[in-house]
Amino acid sequence: KRILILANKADLWLDEDGYSQWERGLISEHAIFEPFKESLYQLQKLHIPVRVDAMSATVGWNVEDALMRGFNDLWTKETIEWKN
């Protein structure tokens, strides 16, 4: 079991600070994922790996890369650690 959450339309909601979070691998801390935080903690407790990423299909930003990283997680068993 794996879960991949891709927040689309990053061209509309990803500002400079958010882009900096994304560059540092901290996109899961962005406010757009706040509504999912408690559920993501629960998944972590169940040892279900979750990858969170941003993309913009409209402008073609990070679409293929985000999907490939998500699929690669299927084989590398990478897990994002959620901070309480």
Side-chain angles (χ1 to χ4, degrees), residues 19-54:
Y19 184 77
S20 176
Q21 284 176 311
W22 178 82
E23 283 186 311
R24 293 178 288 140
L26 302 174
I27 194 63
S28 64
E29 297 177 10
H30 191 280
I32 200 158
F33 297 108
E34 185 64 34
F36 308 103
K37 195 165 268 191
E38 188 57 40
S39 297
L40 296 171
Y41 289 139
Q42 295 301 317
L43 290 168
Q44 182 179 358
K45 287 179 186 176
L46 296 171
H47 303 286
I48 298 174
V50 178
R51 172 172 282 283
V52 176
D53 212 336

Side-chain angles (χ1 to χ4, degrees), residues 13 29 79:
W13 58 263
E29 297 177 10
T79 303

